[in-house]
Amino acid sequence: MSASSPDETAFLDWFKSKGGTVHPAVGLKHWEGMGRGAVALQDIEPDTLLFSIPRSVLLTTSTASLQSLLSAEDWSSLSGWTPLILSMMREYLRTSTWTPYFALLPSSFDSLMFWSESELAELEGSTVLGKVGRAEADEEFETTVVPFVRAHEDVFGSAEEYTAELFHRMGSLVLSRSFHVESKEQEEDDEETSNDEDEEEEEREDVADVAMVPFADILNAKSGCDNGRSDKFILSAVLCPDALAPQARLFYEPTTLNMMSTSRIPAGAQIFNTYADPPNSDLLRRYGHVDEVNDADLVEVGLETVVDLMGEAKGLSEEEWEARVEWLLEMGIDDTFSIETNHKFPDEMISAIRTFTLDDAEWAKARKKESPPKPKLDADVAEWARKILTERRKEYKTSIEEDEALLADSTLPLRKRMAVIVRLGEKRILAGAQKKLDDEYPPGVPVEKAKEKKEKKRKGEDGAKSGSKKVRR
Ligand SMILES: C[S@@+](CC[C@H](N)C(=O)[O-])C[C@H]1O[C@@H](n2cnc3c(N)ncnc32)[C@H](O)[C@@H]1O
């Protein structure tokens, strides 16, 4: 194991003194534009234990001492991530248990929480602006953390040191580096629960299952360089660009978390993790970086955009469209639709569009059946979808061409470059979806004609466009 700084040496000594093991072929290295990461110092064969992390070094609400020093009532008055963040703040300020680990962690971030108003303005058009959460975090600090720490100075020590800056730093570390790690018993319980219950559970993740995992959080990630979506607590470390097969993965053992290679990693290559394939907007929000090429990119279209356009155009009164919106939400339709890089229209968006095209009798029937219209894309829906895409594209203040020109400038500041990559990716998806729609349902073709054309194409009567091969004579 190689370390290149005194902090790294101290961290590795601490890690090993706690029972952690590291394969001699795994080293730490600074990677241009990515910070610290892991490197294969020699060829690594599949099924090699890269490193093994004792569960006792995980920093969680159970391994930190704060919970045991407070009454159950006081502890349970805290919500969200605050119990973990406060535990981390106290461990950082008052104990030496995780000092070598904290010394390796960054204190400045490029994630959106730390962007100025003018920097955020570069993201205009992206729905990520509604998810930054800075105001909520500031409010949590002022209204919960400050009074709580002041009321328990016997446990926390001087409240003065529990600053907003430290609160945001710890919160950002949780956002960008934590893992979902359940106890072994919890995992077994989970196996007995149904998928639906699992999904609900994930939405309100218990802070007790959120863990800072020393060493595992040193691995960087890059789109296309991992083994695809990870399960909720599966971490996989893989080599880029050979991403077709999984190359490493973290196995959850009763007393350790073991990172194993699952295929060969050549000497000199970076060992990548997966962050579960977020789109660039979320990468930027949570981690403070983007992937110039991101297969998992997407653009969101709000139900609001659909309603604004269709409610008015179909001549529905405010009361009528509000009733349809409420009903759609009751029926489980999301208020945001994601279009991905395959440019396919989300089924839920098609159902929502169709809900606004229903006449009174059809609307009454749908309500009686308690089922939104089937997600069938036809010429009429396509016409609406095209208008919605046009409206959505207007929410960005620059064009694709302008953004491409900006990116060609190598002196563009990092944050602006990342913002441009996010908004350009989103606009390209919108443009791609529009093109796909135009190919399938050419604009200006009367609905009946478009139906005919589509039917012909389906039956393969439409020559080259249907994919039928021309015979050369
Ligand atoms: C889990 S940590 C990985 C370790 C980190 N590089 C370090 O120096 O401590 C995640 C952070 O690493 C950086 N990172 C990871 N993958 C990256 C990538 N593909 N490009 C740029 N930065 C990346 C980002 O700053 C991100 O917030």
Side-chain angles (χ1 to χ4, degrees):
M1 173 84 216
S2 76
S4 50
S5 73
D7 278 348
E8 287 177 3
T9 306
F11 168 76
L12 289 169
D13 289 347
W14 167 83
F15 182 73
K16 287 174 190 164
S17 75
K18 299 282 178 190
T21 64
V22 188
H23 191 282
V26 177
L28 301 183
K29 183 177 162 180
H30 186 276
W31 297 89
E32 187 59 39
M34 294 188 187
R36 188 179 286 109
V39 60
L41 299 172
Q42 309 154 14
D43 289 351
I44 295 175
E45 295 306 316
D47 290 327
T48 304
L49 176 60
L50 300 175
F51 46 89
S52 173
I53 307 157
R55 281 188 186 252
S56 59
V57 307
L58 269 52
L59 176 43
T60 67
T61 49
S62 336
T63 58
S65 40
L66 181 61
Q67 182 171 6
S68 65
L69 300 170
L70 293 168
S71 69
E73 196 187 333
D74 284 337
W75 177 253
S76 60
S77 72
L78 301 170
S79 60
W81 281 354
T82 301
L84 177 59
I85 297 175
L86 268 177
S87 296
M88 289 167 67
M89 289 167 90
R90 188 180 170 281
E91 293 299 333
Y92 174 72
L93 292 169
R94 303 286 176 245
T95 82
S96 57
T97 317
W98 281 278
T99 300
Y101 172 54
F102 280 122
L104 226 54
L105 300 178
S107 52
S108 64
F109 305 85
D110 280 313
S111 41
L112 293 182
M113 282 272 293
F114 300 94
W115 285 33
S116 66
E117 284 303 317
S118 63
E119 286 167 335
L120 287 172
E122 296 293 344
L123 285 161
E124 196 177 311
S126 174
T127 52
V128 74
L129 283 179
K131 304 176 194 171
V132 179
R134 174 78 200 206
E136 293 81 351
D138 284 340
E139 191 185 332
E140 176 71 0
F141 179 74
E142 289 304 331
T143 60
T144 304
V145 172
V146 171
F148 193 85
V149 173
R150 282 203 189 126
H152 298 92
E153 278 195 315
D154 54 330
V155 170
F156 287 104
S158 164
E160 297 301 302
E161 289 170 79
Y162 291 78
T163 60
E165 192 270 327
L166 188 60
F167 178 73
H168 290 314
R169 177 183 171 201
M170 295 302 172
S172 297
L173 290 172
V174 176
L175 192 62
S176 61
R177 309 177 81 103
S178 65
F179 296 94
H180 184 99
V181 182
E182 292 175 358
S183 65
K184 209 65 197 163
E185 300 83 66
Q186 183 66 41
E187 275 174 35
E188 277 154 20
D189 282 0
D190 276 5
E191 270 160 29
E192 285 158 26
T193 59
S194 74
N195 280 347
D196 283 359
E197 282 165 352
D198 269 0
E199 271 168 31
E200 271 177 39
E201 206 46 50
E202 257 175 53
E203 272 175 28
R204 44 184 164 80
E205 184 178 47
D206 187 344
V207 70
D209 298 330
V210 181
M212 301 301 289
V213 186
F215 213 119
D217 65 358
I218 287 175
L219 302 191
N220 295 317
K222 200 171 163 130
S223 174
C225 301
D226 58 52
N227 65 349
R229 265 177 203 288
S230 66
D231 285 332
K232 56 184 172 174
F233 53 78
I234 292 173
L235 162 73
S236 50
V238 294
L239 168 74
C240 185
D242 179 12
L244 296 176
Q247 293 188 323
R249 170 173 156 182
L250 196 71
F251 290 85
Y252 285 59
E253 303 299 343
T255 57
T256 58
L257 306 187
N258 291 346
M259 181 73 77
M260 309 286 296
S261 63
T262 54
S263 65
R264 196 171 170 279
I265 306 174
Q270 178 162 193
I271 304 170
F272 282 112
N273 172 22
T274 172
Y275 297 166
D277 298 336
N280 272 338
S281 53
D282 259 349
L283 265 183
L284 191 53
R285 179 179 68 82
R286 297 186 57 163
Y287 300 94
H289 72 269
V290 294
D291 283 332
E292 212 135 330
V293 178
N294 186 345
D295 296 338
D297 219 2
L298 56 80
V299 63
E300 289 184 332
V301 180
L303 178 56
E304 216 180 314
T305 310
V306 178
V307 177
D308 282 353
L309 188 85
M310 298 194 67
E312 202 173 305
K314 295 295 283 184
L316 297 174
S317 69
E318 193 174 330
E319 218 170 63
E320 281 169 321
W321 64 250
E322 263 178 12
R324 294 192 190 198
V325 169
E326 258 171 48
W327 180 76
L328 279 171
L329 296 175
E330 266 169 38
M331 293 295 106
I333 298 273
D334 217 334
D335 62 358
T336 310
F337 312 111
S338 300
I339 307 180
E340 301 177 7
T341 47
N342 62 8
H343 305 137
K344 184 182 174 306
F345 271 90
D347 283 353
E348 289 200 347
M349 183 168 164
I350 300 174
S351 284
I353 293 175
R354 293 183 74 94
T355 300
F356 287 94
T357 63
L358 299 178
D359 62 27
D360 286 349
E362 290 164 334
W363 165 229
K365 203 167 148 197
R367 270 181 306 166
K368 196 164 167 222
K369 266 176 55 191
E370 295 198 340
S371 153
K374 292 216 164 57
K376 191 169 163 280
L377 186 60
D378 59 20
D380 189 29
V381 175
E383 203 49 52
W384 285 111
R386 192 175 355 259
K387 287 181 189 148
I388 290 163
L389 288 179
T390 307
E391 280 312 298
R392 181 66 184 86
R393 288 173 79 174
K394 285 185 196 156
E395 291 172 26
Y396 299 88
K397 60 181 179 190
T398 53
S399 67
I400 288 181
E401 295 71 27
E402 283 166 321
D403 282 353
E404 284 171 344
L406 281 169
L407 288 185
D409 174 2
S410 60
T411 64
L412 203 64
L414 176 67
R415 289 187 179 182
K416 179 153 180 181
R417 172 170 293 276
M418 294 195 291
V420 174
I421 291 173
V422 168
R423 69 192 194 204
L424 176 60
E426 295 184 355
K427 279 180 283 194
R428 280 185 177 148
I429 295 175
L430 287 169
Q434 188 134 13
K435 179 169 182 317
K436 188 168 183 231
L437 210 55
D438 289 350
D439 286 348
E440 279 182 41
Y441 300 93
V445 174
V447 170
E448 281 315 312
K449 267 255 175 290
K451 273 186 195 157
E452 247 173 60
K453 201 171 156 58
K454 175 104 177 144
E455 188 57 18
K456 268 191 177 176
K457 201 169 167 184
R458 199 182 59 78
K459 288 186 184 155
E461 294 167 14
D462 203 10
K465 273 191 188 157
S466 68
S468 61
K469 282 189 187 131
K470 285 206 174 121
V471 182
R472 210 178 268 270
R473 291 179 197 272

